[in-house]
Amino acid sequence: MIPYYTRFSLLAFILLILQILVFDNIHLFGFSNPAIYILIFITYRLDLDQFGFIAIGFFAGLFLDLVTQSPGAHSIAGVSIAFLRPIISRFALGANFNQPNTLSTGSLWSNKMVYIFLMILTHQLIFSFMLYFNMAHLWVIIKHTVANTFFSFVLITASLTLFQTKK
Amino acid sequence: MQWVLNAIIRYKNFLLFLFLFNLGLYISGTQSSYHNSQIAKSSLVISGFIHQPFRQLNSYFDLADENKRLVEENNALKNRELVRSYQTGVLPRRNRNSGSSQYWSKSAKIIRNSFTQSRNILLIDKGSNDSIDREMGVIGPKGIIGIVNQTSGNYASVLSILYRNLKINAKFKKSNVFGSLFWQGDNPHEMQLSDIASINVVEIGDTLVTGGMSSYFPEGVPIGKVKSFELLENGGYYDISVSLFNNMTDLEYVYVIGNKDRGEIIELLEREP
């Protein structure tokens, strides 16, 4: 059995590379980039220590920032979503929000969807705000957030269904 | 003393979050002032290294389209050459080399293109080894693309004209009226032209070219044409939207323009009065 952290880092690395090479080149309607790498933040085991998770969020974002030359938006969104995740999971998943296998078996389908949706929405909102960094562009920010959230949600739920771990 | 330690341990998640968040903000700050940022330089090496092979594969699939475009461009160049040889035959000898010989150009290939963000940056596969330096102009087959920002050995990053803080000196081809061109951060096919006084005549379809007021671009490189305009109520200025000739969303080959007299110009500008 491979240790969890090894498996997780491998998955994270693959997702980041996929994001850079494939999904950043998809421009739906000319402006929308689906963000598959949010799967890193969604699938990280819910019962593990948050301290390490915040660091992971930052470094995953930093890697994307360096490669795509974006001004810090990915790292800030990553570190924020890692910090906010307990609040979202407690709201969406209810009583068993910090169980290890909540995402695969332990909760209702609707709860999981709400959890995934809120994670993506929060991440994309922070990300777009950091990218534009100006309230004068609020309308553009909202447009980007809504479109990106929608397509990322479709992609992420699809890939979660495809690669579900069988128990 | 004990309670300080307790508080640190208790709020360690929040403190780490705060620390990393500020680190992110710091990175933002250094990145968008886009001068002398060491991190931009090192990240350039990484992203050039990662994007290069993939872009090569990608460009293989685009070969047919690209060929067609090259043929078109060749055609246009040949036409221009014909016109010029006609002119040099007619004009007096002393006028022959005055205009264009001050500039040289070098072709480069785009290995990463972005246009969905508010500050877009392109990567090209030529760098300081090919004598490409910062603040050189970059033009595409149909007009201007941007300005070189950072260079490493084999790569350079280019601030696209679709970059929110960037202003470019532009003028009307027909009347030599100057204004400054900037991007509003929304549509990659459209830019705004400001500082044109209402005394001038503007019509839809007028062609805009670069002005000679900066040392980045030669005078007269095409930019785009007037799409719509309106008179601002209180300023006595026009608000003009310009549709670009270049399609910024599917660029492949560009030319970097160097100015032989640039060193001299900069020295003059920086000399104390």
Side-chain angles (χ1 to χ4, degrees), chain A residues 26-74:
Chain A
I26 296 176
H27 304 290
L28 286 164
F29 303 137
F31 64 87
S32 166
N33 283 140
I36 188 87
Y37 78 101
I38 305 177
L39 260 177
I40 297 171
F41 308 119
I42 291 174
T43 55
Y44 186 75
R45 246 166 65 184
L46 287 153
D47 60 325
L48 292 177
D49 184 26
Q50 202 202 352
F51 192 75
F53 184 45
I54 293 175
I56 290 172
F58 179 75
F59 285 111
L62 187 67
F63 180 73
L64 275 180
D65 273 335
L66 291 180
V67 174
T68 60
Q69 303 258 307
S70 84
H74 283 294

Side-chain angles (χ1 to χ4, degrees), chain B residues 6 57 86 129 148 236:
Chain B
N6 279 340
L57 184 71
Y86 172 70
N129 293 348
V148 175

Side-chain angles (χ1 to χ4, degrees), chain B residues 31-271:
Chain B
Q31 284 278 63
S32 36
S33 65
Y34 64 83
H35 284 300
N36 271 334
S37 56
Q38 209 54 38
I39 194 154
K41 208 163 200 171
S42 57
S43 73
L44 187 59
V45 175
I46 305 175
S47 62
F49 181 74
I50 290 187
H51 286 295
Q52 175 86 306
F54 189 68
R55 186 68 198 200
Q56 272 167 357
L57 184 71
N58 232 1
S59 70
Y60 190 77
F61 296 115
D62 294 343
L63 274 182
D65 275 349
E66 200 54 36
N67 267 340
K68 214 161 100 188
R69 217 175 322 178
L70 280 174
V71 169
E72 272 171 21
E73 197 186 342
N74 261 339
N75 231 345
L77 282 175
K78 209 171 265 177
N79 281 338
R80 209 191 304 173
E81 188 56 40
L82 281 175
V83 171
R84 181 165 293 159
S85 66
Y86 172 70
Q87 279 176 344
T88 46
V90 175
L91 287 174
R93 179 171 282 274
R94 64 189 163 84
N95 280 358
R96 267 188 207 175
N97 289 325
S98 61
S100 56
S101 66
Q102 178 194 351
Y103 294 96
W104 52 267
S105 72
K106 189 151 259 174
S107 71
K109 191 173 171 196
I110 290 186
I111 55 175
R112 180 167 196 280
N113 185 7
S114 81
F115 47 88
T116 52
Q117 288 161 9
S118 62
R119 295 189 175 85
N120 293 298
I121 290 178
L122 319 170
L123 291 185
I124 57 176
D125 67 346
K126 294 273 163 66
S128 52
N129 293 348
D130 307 282
S131 66
I132 283 171
D133 204 358
R134 288 171 53 181
E135 308 201 349
M136 282 182 175
V138 178
I139 63 175
K142 291 177 193 156
I144 63 170
I145 304 283
I147 295 164
V148 175
N149 177 32
Q150 288 276 8
T151 57
S152 61
N154 295 317
Y155 304 103
S157 69
V158 176
L159 297 185
S160 161
I161 49 174
L162 308 181
Y163 193 92
R164 264 210 358 244
N165 300 356
L166 197 68
K167 289 207 168 176
I168 293 160
N169 179 260
K171 69 175 186 180
F172 283 96
K173 197 176 183 181
K174 60 169 190 185
S175 62
N176 282 350
V177 178
F178 288 102
S180 60
L181 192 73
F182 62 95
W183 191 48
Q184 286 205 317
D186 198 1
N187 181 346
H189 304 289
E190 207 176 300
M191 288 177 79
Q192 297 290 319
L193 182 69
S194 64
D195 301 341
I196 300 287
S198 60
I199 196 170
N200 301 300
V201 181
V202 176
E203 279 170 64
I204 288 178
D206 283 354
T207 305
L208 284 161
V209 295
T210 53
M213 304 280 270
S214 73
S215 54
Y216 300 136
F217 298 107
E219 195 176 341
V221 178
I223 297 173
K225 58 184 182 200
V226 175
K227 191 182 178 192
S228 64
F229 63 93
E230 57 180 328
L231 205 53
L232 295 179
E233 279 169 23
N234 46 6
Y237 287 101
Y238 283 113
D239 183 20
I240 302 175
S241 27
V242 177
S243 68
L244 298 171
F245 287 140
N246 264 332
N247 183 358
M248 297 295 288
T249 59
D250 66 346
L251 297 168
E252 192 118 356
Y253 289 95
V254 295
Y255 303 92
V256 182
I257 302 291
N259 186 344
K260 281 177 190 157
D261 299 341
R262 190 175 149 69
E264 241 174 282
I265 295 171
I266 288 175
E267 198 185 320
L268 260 179
L269 284 176
E270 282 176 351
R271 197 176 287 170

Side-chain angles (χ1 to χ4, degrees), chain A residues 68-138:
Chain A
T68 60
Q69 303 258 307
S70 84
H74 283 294
S75 22
I76 288 180
V79 75
S80 308
I81 195 72
F83 180 69
L84 295 174
R85 193 176 74 158
I87 302 171
I88 296 172
S89 63
R90 198 168 310 179
F91 171 78
L93 300 175
N96 45 7
F97 73 93
N98 55 3
Q99 296 305 309
N101 55 355
T102 301
L103 266 192
S104 47
T105 51
S107 63
L108 287 175
W109 183 79
S110 57
N111 284 359
K112 278 189 270 186
M113 289 297 127
V114 170
Y115 165 70
I116 293 169
F117 180 76
L118 281 180
M119 289 287 286
I120 299 171
L121 182 68
T122 318
H123 181 277
Q124 286 299 319
L125 197 62
I126 297 168
F127 177 68
S128 305
F129 261 111
M130 287 312 302
L131 214 54
Y132 283 83
F133 218 56
N134 188 345
M135 290 305 267
H137 293 82
L138 192 61

